Amino acid sequence: MILETDKLGPICIEADSAESLRWSELPENMLFFRHICKLCSDYPSIFLAYSATKDVKDIAQITAHGFTELGINVFMAPYAVPICAFSQAVALRNAPIGIYLSKDDKQRGFLLTAVASHGGLFDLRDVNNEKMALNLSKTGVIGETNMTDAYIENLAGLADSAIEPGIGFKEIRIPFPHIDELIKTHKNAQILNVSDKNGLTATIGDDGQQLTITDTRGLIVSTEKIASSIMTYLQKERFARGTIIGQRPLLNQVIDEENYIEVKDSIYSLHFFAASCDLLLGWWPNGVIAHQGSSCFGDGILSAIYYIEALRSI
């Protein structure tokens, strides 16, 4: 079935508008900002994280200080984290709201994505557009919090530690040094650590969502082929079931009204529906694949694990 929805999508800001949250004064950003204020009027704290793209950390720190000027406490990791890990962290803590900062697709501005307590995007029906007064007599504080350990344990739990030997990665580029180090030392994530000199090359995107794989001939493997291989593997080898979401059906996908959602408008609709259905797999042609048991956002590292497992199971 083809579905469309109204969700609170990201807003785009310029670097010079981050100081004191000047972006909040723009008409196109008021709904986003007022919803933050509404949630923080009852619970004056937010979780904030940022991607591994250059310059994003600086903007994240400026943004965090801007929130503290409004009396809002900010909890953030001291390093970049994938948005899927951030989504899990927000949901595990049942935090009213999390803000993820990343670079926009055209690398011109910065995106602020609001994550709800269930780890997905807000439904516009739940968004408050009333102007709320905050307690400006107090200054918020910035604190550090761990947003990766639970993600690594979940990732390792989803990997098949007993998978048969076979093709692996010649190189996998993960732009999150902290997570890269945790993976290297985890006994159940060795499928990413055993180098295969004749294997594939994988690159994870700066927000952790995108996976780009280059095969042994130096050719890029399409997202549809990766997602189709993973889907077949999960269904036939792991007997997994659930809904598949995408712009169009995958190769070899059996379609019925109960296990397929087609979204046409944007990747944010994929994120929205992935958080509210019995997800098996959601995919977008730009390399994003979301998975059951992970997050409504793409998980490039888990996608890499599943793809290698799929190739070894053939």
Side-chain angles (χ1 to χ4, degrees):
M1 55 183 155
I2 301 175
L3 295 178
E4 295 182 359
T5 187
D6 290 326
K7 63 278 173 190
L8 184 64
I11 62 170
C12 187
I13 68 170
E14 299 297 327
D16 58 6
S17 69
E19 192 79 36
S20 297
L21 307 185
R22 287 198 296 269
W23 52 264
S24 65
E25 301 169 3
L26 299 175
E28 61 268 28
N29 297 335
M30 284 186 178
L31 176 64
F32 188 95
F33 181 67
R34 286 177 177 177
H35 188 56
I36 295 174
C37 292
K38 166 58 180 174
L39 294 174
C40 290
S41 66
D42 299 324
Y43 181 79
S45 297
I46 64 170
F47 284 79
L48 189 148
Y50 52 90
S51 71
T53 312
K54 182 182 178 182
D55 299 331
V56 173
K57 180 178 181 179
D58 293 339
I59 301 300
Q61 291 174 333
I62 294 171
T63 301
H65 282 290
F67 282 120
T68 63
E69 292 172 1
L70 299 177
I72 299 172
N73 303 313
V74 181
F75 298 95
M76 57 193 299
Y79 37 71
V81 300
I83 191 171
C84 53
F86 179 64
S87 167
Q88 291 181 27
V90 171
L92 282 171
R93 293 166 171 83
N94 197 29
I97 187 170
I99 302 294
Y100 190 81
L101 189 69
S102 59
K103 202 81 169 177
D104 74 355
D105 291 337
K106 297 179 181 179
Q107 301 288 302
R108 294 176 182 173
F110 299 88
L111 293 178
L112 293 180
T113 302
V115 177
S117 59
H118 64 283
L121 300 179
F122 285 94
D123 190 319
L124 277 182
R125 292 172 295 185
D126 300 324
V127 172
N128 194 306
N129 194 26
E130 296 179 10
K131 189 173 183 179
M132 301 297 297
L134 294 170
N135 186 359
L136 300 181
S137 64
K138 294 183 178 180
T139 300
V141 298
I142 298 175
E144 290 187 1
T145 188
N146 188 305
M147 297 185 184
T148 53
D149 285 1
Y151 167 74
I152 293 297
E153 290 303 318
N154 186 66
L155 186 76
L158 292 171
D160 184 355
S161 59
I163 192 71
E164 53 269 0
I167 189 170
F169 288 114
K170 178 172 61 177
E171 181 183 11
I172 179 166
R173 303 166 186 148
I174 299 175
F176 307 97
H178 182 73
I179 285 182
D180 194 23
E181 190 61 33
L182 290 174
I183 288 174
K184 288 178 180 176
T185 58
H186 203 293
K187 62 180 182 179
N188 289 342
Q190 294 308 303
I191 195 169
L192 297 179
N193 299 329
V194 179
S195 180
D196 179 358
K197 65 179 181 180
N198 297 315
L200 310 174
T201 298
T203 303
I204 308 300
D206 285 348
D207 66 354
Q209 293 200 80
Q210 292 86 2
L211 170 66
T212 302
I213 289 182
T214 304
D215 66 18
T216 55
R217 299 168 296 170
L219 302 176
I220 294 178
V221 183
S222 72
T223 305
E224 184 169 12
K225 182 177 180 180
I226 295 171
S228 296
S229 299
I230 292 173
M231 175 195 69
T232 302
Y233 163 68
L234 293 176
Q235 290 176 334
K236 292 187 175 180
E237 299 295 328
R238 292 197 172 199
F239 305 104
R241 296 294 181 267
T243 301
I244 296 171
I245 307 175
Q247 272 189 323
R248 59 180 182 272
L250 285 168
L251 302 170
N252 303 319
Q253 181 181 342
V254 178
I255 302 298
D256 65 52
E257 289 294 313
E258 296 182 356
N259 72 0
Y260 176 56
I261 296 176
E262 185 171 330
V263 290
K264 292 293 188 181
D265 48 350
S266 73
I267 191 173
Y268 305 113
S269 289
L270 184 154
H271 298 325
F272 181 85
F273 287 118
S276 57
C277 74
D278 179 23
L279 178 72
L280 175 63
L281 181 150
W283 74 287
W284 208 251
N286 65 347
V288 170
I289 306 176
H291 299 280
Q292 185 180 84
S294 174
S295 166
C296 64
F297 298 98
D299 190 336
I301 299 174
L302 182 57
S303 298
I305 291 174
Y306 278 164
Y307 187 59
I308 289 296
E309 291 181 1
L311 293 180
R312 291 186 182 183
S313 69
I314 295 175

